[in-house]
Amino acid sequence: KSFALLLDVLHEDKIVGPRLRRLDKAAKDPDNLVRTLLRDLKSDDPKARHGAAGALTQVMVILPPADCLVLKRQAVLPAIKTLVQRLSKEMTTGSATTRREAVEVLGELRMLNLTIEQRTQNSPNPELAILINEISPNQQDIDAALARARGDSDAQVRRRARAALRAEPFGEV
């Protein structure tokens, strides 16, 4: 019940609210919501990917511990890994716009991965502990792609990569 109430609060958020309101029918069930957001994450549209990554991060924050198994059921971490590989390839294109969009999504994926790490480390569920082995390689791939972006020829790509590498999901502790 608390998930539904917190999700209603997220609907009013300026950044992720529009994405979640669009998915209103799926939003009542965590499995359906995550499945739908993963579909958007795999999209070819950079704005859809960026929005889905941000929305997934916020959903992970409010997801009750009992529902965190949705990460395993919906194969969230393999989806992140696949997208990171795809975005790494996009970072080598000649188009600065494409590289900027890719680095933005990589930054959101970094936050999502760190949020998932925090949720799984603090979970009493042993099934979630298995996911820890998938999180670290994803984080290394994301950080490596962002580190390469810091040497990009475009100043905006470099700036966004630096900001993404400095950002922490729950602020400075």
Side-chain angles (χ1 to χ4, degrees):
K1 188 171 181 170
S2 65
F3 176 74
L5 293 172
L6 291 169
L7 198 56
D8 285 341
V9 171
L10 280 180
H11 277 249
E12 302 306 316
D13 185 80
K14 292 178 184 176
I15 298 170
V16 299
R19 171 89 33 215
L20 291 174
R21 285 191 296 272
R22 189 181 67 74
L23 307 172
D24 197 37
K25 292 178 185 174
K28 304 303 177 204
D29 175 47
D31 272 299
N32 288 339
L33 178 61
V34 171
R35 184 181 313 111
T36 305
L37 288 171
L38 277 177
R39 187 178 60 233
D40 286 354
L41 196 64
K42 296 172 185 176
S43 167
D44 288 332
D45 179 16
K47 289 184 177 153
R49 290 189 299 210
H50 187 266
L56 263 172
T57 301
Q58 295 303 315
V59 167
M60 294 286 56
V61 170
I62 67 168
L63 200 62
D67 289 334
C68 283
L69 281 174
V70 71
L71 295 168
K72 187 175 179 183
R73 284 192 303 265
Q74 298 301 327
V76 172
L77 292 167
I80 292 172
K81 180 179 180 148
T82 302
L83 184 56
V84 169
Q85 292 168 348
R86 183 174 164 193
L87 292 169
S88 291
K89 289 178 185 170
E90 288 181 15
M91 292 297 299
T92 62
T93 67
S95 167
T97 303
T98 301
R99 294 193 314 271
R100 287 180 202 135
E101 292 167 345
V103 81
E104 286 287 333
V105 176
L106 281 167
E108 287 293 339
L109 289 177
R110 184 173 187 275
M111 287 297 104
L112 175 59
N113 204 62
L114 289 170
T115 302
I116 291 171
E117 180 181 37
Q118 189 273 336
R119 294 304 307 268
T120 55
Q121 284 179 344
N122 296 325
S123 174
N125 190 330
E127 290 183 56
L128 283 179
I130 295 170
L131 296 177
I132 292 291
N133 297 330
E134 295 178 50
I135 293 170
S136 183
N138 278 358
Q139 195 63 40
Q140 290 171 357
D141 292 346
I142 293 167
D143 288 348
L146 288 169
R148 283 190 304 274
R150 289 185 65 197
D152 195 89
S153 60
D154 184 71
Q156 288 184 26
V157 171
R158 292 191 307 266
R159 190 174 309 119
R160 291 173 186 181
R162 282 192 308 271
L165 285 167
R166 282 192 311 264
E168 293 295 328
F170 301 104
E172 292 186 33
V173 184

